[in-house]
Amino acid sequence: EEIVDMTDLTPEEVAAVGEHEHVSEICAAAALADWLMHQRDGARTIRQMIREDMRAAFRSGDPAHAHELYATLRHFVATHPEAAARAG
């Protein structure tokens, strides 16, 4: 939990990155998410990861998880406006 607190992300956002990258260790997921957030297009990359997993949850018949990811995505974009910006 402490390592997640050192990132600029919520535990749900870190978990979403871990889910997408198949990283079950929360510390590794936090490190990856933090690294991504310091990359030029990192916020957009995380946004895309969450969107892909949200779609996969719907396709696999797990609308509850898709809804959780949607809430995570909305919060992420609201708190990281650079995630919604177009590349350029």
Side-chain angles (χ1 to χ4, degrees), residues 1-7 27 30:
E1 189 173 304
E2 288 179 20
I3 190 135
V4 173
D5 291 341
M6 293 189 314
T7 72
C27 291

Side-chain angles (χ1 to χ4, degrees), residues 24-36:
S24 60
E25 172 61 44
I26 194 69
C27 291
L32 175 59
D34 189 56
W35 178 82
L36 282 169

